[in-house]
Amino acid sequence: MKYLSTRDSSLEVDSARAIVEGISREGGLFVPSELPRLTREDLERLSGLSYPQRAQWVLSRFLTDWTGEELAGCVEGAYCGGRFEDDDPAPLSCLDEDICLLELWHGPTCAFKDVALQLLPRLMPAAAQKCGCREEIAILTATSGDTGKAALEGFRDVPGTRILVFYPEDGVSRMQKRQMTTQAGENVAVIGIRGNFDDAQSGVKAIFGDRALEEELRREGFVLSSANSINWGRLAPQIVYYISAYCDLLTAGRIGAGEPVNFCVPTGNFGNILAGYYAKGMGLPVKMLLCASNRNNVLTDFIRTGRYDRNRRFYATTSPSMDILISSNLERLLYLLTGRSDRETREKMEALGRTGVYQLDERELSALQREFYGACCDDAGAADTIRRVFERYSYLCDPHTAVAVNAWEQYRAATGDRTKTVILSTASPYKFADTVLEALGEDCPEDDFQRLRRLEEVSGMPAPAALRALRETEVRFRETCAPEEMRDRVRRFLSQG
Ligand SMILES: *Cc1c(COP(=O)(O)O)cnc(C)c1O
């Protein structure tokens, strides 16, 4: 299978190169030239397999330039080595007949990004080797909180790689900041940006687009790559858990063969939900994909009106990993909605860069609305949902997951659709203990670790060991910079050691 750039379909690479380069040279994103087929028989067979076996099967359809052995090595390293609780990266937790949560946060950093970012660092050096790339790989990542930590943890001390993470200094939770600034590893660095996530992401994109810098770094022996969800190596592993969740529903007898389900996804950069759309494209029986947003509801408006308009106020919310006004992966959806037109995709992305706005035509909008439903709620709505879900089911959800539960309730009220729905639960509630405690009407201790303890008392559920352990870990990274200084910080980081 080949990968094409969304902005120039004549640029064609295999998956190894798509993963090493992260983003195409002219700014486009790599997309598969076609989607592999997933039949009902495949689903039945996969249902009898473990998560790593399912992952191996799905990945082998997309990464066709890899041997089974190569993939097995990466998959086993990521999912069988005790890095996920019970070696299961994606257990389902069903609240009642209609609704199950897909808990994607049982990995080392307690957010869903671990599922892909435990795998990507294993794919990356192997992909570099396949491409004959001799340079050291320098991973540059902008984070709204969770990607950064998951990428640091994934790439730490991986030979032949270095990783530099930029996060918005005041745009992440205290626990997220602590997780990142205490990161261990010889090949890592973390810098706070005096700006928001979009500033950090735009800065990183500009660095990727800087040909002079690329040449300069190549002479020094480095090639830049990305661990953001613009990298195909992030998206492919995420397709797996949609299929796996469906298999688990089948195995549990909660659905019959071929029965469609909905997935509801708390969305920021549109990476997670896009993986669901690819799974559907392969043949997974999915009725609707519910796109849940917080007060930064640019996607809700887009899905309802066909007009994407980023010219609006940016809000810092209690679900910071969704505080995004430019959802990068939407570009891959646009490519599909425009009938795989690189020209139209490029024009829309150029319009977005120039004016902050682009508009779908009627045909594109109705194609979008056939597949996606958008809903949003503010912080008060999310807090209310956390409280109601806990009271009703004794189930604790984090603020991101709560936004999704709220969106699903709105969808059901608006449409009456009773299709079984899987809600993607993207973070451990302990990562956002302050918000969760407040939502439950509990007082919130000043100290981060007393908060964990308080929440344990309230819920009777132990906090993840990885978060508790941070108490003993020293802060290593205190540096901050302005968005304009990011290039220099990259140079400085790479000139060390
Ligand atoms: C990253 C993240 C999201 C958003 O996922 P996208 O792929 O960016 O849409 C939602 N919830 C949590 C907890 C996250 O870390």
Side-chain angles (χ1 to χ4, degrees):
M1 178 176 301
K2 292 295 181 189
Y3 288 80
L4 316 174
S5 165
T6 48
R7 298 192 199 180
D8 181 355
S9 302
S10 69
L11 288 174
E12 209 185 70
V13 299
D14 57 21
S15 81
R17 185 154 291 283
I19 290 171
V20 172
E21 291 186 2
I23 186 167
S24 181
R25 336 191 84 247
E26 75 320 331
L29 305 186
F30 290 114
V31 286
S33 54
E34 65 203 312
L35 285 181
R37 289 306 300 167
L38 174 72
T39 64
R40 202 182 271 202
E41 291 71 45
D42 291 330
L43 280 171
E44 260 159 49
R45 210 167 32 74
L46 289 171
S47 293
L49 303 181
S50 66
Y51 190 92
Q53 290 168 319
R54 291 170 184 167
Q56 161 111 21
W57 187 88
V58 175
L59 291 169
S60 71
R61 307 289 121 147
F62 282 101
L63 312 186
T64 49
D65 46 328
W66 297 61
T67 67
E69 230 167 65
E70 286 170 331
L71 281 181
C74 294
V75 165
E76 276 162 29
Y79 301 136
C80 305
R83 304 189 139 249
F84 292 85
E85 227 170 281
D86 303 326
D87 274 350
D88 187 355
L92 266 184
S93 182
C94 292
L95 298 186
D96 61 26
E97 269 303 291
D98 298 330
I99 171 173
C100 295
L101 288 134
L102 183 61
E103 294 181 350
L104 300 170
W105 41 262
H106 293 282
T109 76
C110 311
F112 90 94
K113 294 184 172 86
D114 284 328
V115 182
L117 281 167
Q118 282 297 314
L119 189 60
L120 180 66
R122 295 163 208 276
L123 295 174
M124 186 80 81
Q129 205 171 28
K130 293 168 94 60
C131 302
C133 157
R134 291 179 200 290
E135 290 89 359
E136 189 171 350
I137 300 170
I139 305 290
L140 275 195
T141 291
T143 184
S144 56
D146 291 327
T147 299
K149 176 63 183 178
L152 288 161
E153 196 52 41
F155 278 101
R156 85 166 203 222
D157 296 329
V158 170
T161 71
R162 293 190 195 190
I163 172 163
L164 175 57
V165 167
F166 292 103
Y167 70 94
E169 198 190 359
D170 298 315
V172 302
S173 84
R174 256 164 50 178
M175 194 53 95
Q176 287 175 318
K177 188 166 183 171
R178 192 186 284 265
Q179 281 183 302
M180 288 190 278
T181 55
T182 56
Q183 177 64 44
E186 291 304 310
N187 62 340
V188 306
V190 178
I191 298 176
I193 291 290
R194 298 193 287 274
N196 63 31
F197 170 70
D198 287 314
D199 297 324
Q201 176 159 269
S202 302
V204 165
K205 276 192 183 164
I207 292 172
F208 277 114
D210 183 338
R211 291 286 84 89
L213 182 65
E214 178 187 80
E215 253 326 293
E216 177 189 328
L217 294 179
R218 198 175 291 279
R219 281 195 301 273
E220 315 267 318
F222 293 103
V223 56
L224 290 179
S225 190
S226 161
N228 281 102
S229 56
I230 51 177
N231 193 313
W232 181 252
R234 272 280 301 277
L235 278 185
Q238 294 178 175
I239 297 171
V240 177
Y241 49 70
Y242 285 90
I243 296 171
S244 178
Y246 191 90
C247 291
D248 285 345
L249 289 172
L250 271 180
T251 312
R254 288 183 169 271
I255 54 171
E259 184 177 334
V261 298
N262 298 325
F263 286 95
C264 179
V265 189
T267 296
N269 230 349
F270 211 77
N272 201 2
I273 194 167
L274 184 73
Y277 186 57
Y278 281 123
K280 181 175 186 183
M282 291 171 70
L284 190 71
V286 177
K287 185 170 177 188
M288 288 298 270
L289 291 160
L290 315 184
C291 175
S293 302
N294 64 24
R295 197 172 175 199
N296 296 298
N297 58 356
V298 60
L299 288 168
T300 315
D301 290 346
F302 174 61
I303 293 169
R304 294 192 178 166
T305 67
R307 181 181 158 88
Y308 194 94
D309 184 355
R310 64 142 305 181
N311 302 313
R312 57 178 75 209
R313 221 180 113 185
F314 175 90
Y315 297 100
T317 74
T318 53
S319 42
S321 299
M322 298 156 69
D323 289 347
I324 293 177
L325 294 181
I326 306 176
S327 296
S328 297
N329 270 297
L330 213 50
E331 178 166 349
R332 288 185 162 111
L333 179 65
L334 286 180
Y335 181 74
L336 295 174
L337 288 177
T338 56
R340 296 179 173 267
S341 164
D342 52 356
R343 186 183 51 77
E344 277 186 55
T345 308
R346 193 172 59 239
E347 283 170 6
K348 287 191 165 59
M349 296 321 292
E350 281 167 4
L352 179 68
R354 238 183 6 257
T355 64
V357 178
Y358 59 81
Q359 174 82 45
L360 297 185
D361 66 27
E362 224 147 273
R363 193 179 41 82
E364 293 158 352
L365 177 59
S366 71
L368 174 68
Q369 291 175 340
R370 262 197 307 281
E371 315 271 359
F372 292 90
Y373 182 89
C376 58
C377 73
D378 61 10
D379 286 352
D384 182 59
T385 306
I386 291 172
R387 184 184 49 76
R388 282 186 295 105
V389 169
F390 187 66
E391 282 173 1
R392 174 144 181 219
Y393 303 105
S394 303
Y395 186 89
L396 213 51
C397 52
D398 95 285
H400 303 77
T401 307
V403 168
V405 174
N406 190 297
W408 169 73
E409 291 170 336
Q410 292 182 46
Y411 168 76
R412 174 170 273 196
T415 63
D417 181 14
R418 312 292 297 182
T419 304
K420 291 201 172 60
T421 300
V422 175
I423 295 178
L424 276 67
S425 177
T426 48
S428 161
Y430 286 94
K431 220 167 165 172
F432 305 93
D434 51 345
T435 303
V436 175
L437 282 168
E438 273 161 30
L440 297 177
E442 302 288 335
D443 50 81
C444 182
E446 190 37 47
D447 176 74
D448 286 341
F449 299 96
Q450 278 171 16
R451 289 177 184 178
L452 293 187
R453 208 151 334 113
R454 184 81 197 94
L455 198 53
E456 286 178 325
E457 286 162 13
V458 172
S459 72
M461 228 174 61
L467 296 183
R468 278 184 281 135
L470 289 176
R471 183 177 193 155
E472 323 299 333
T473 321
E474 247 176 83
V475 171
R476 291 178 68 198
F477 301 102
R478 298 177 193 279
E479 189 177 350
T480 63
C481 77
E484 313 79 74
E485 297 171 309
M486 289 169 68
R487 257 189 198 72
D488 277 338
R489 300 304 154 113
V490 171
R491 285 198 183 93
R492 199 185 297 171
F493 171 60
L494 295 180
S495 65
Q496 293 159 359

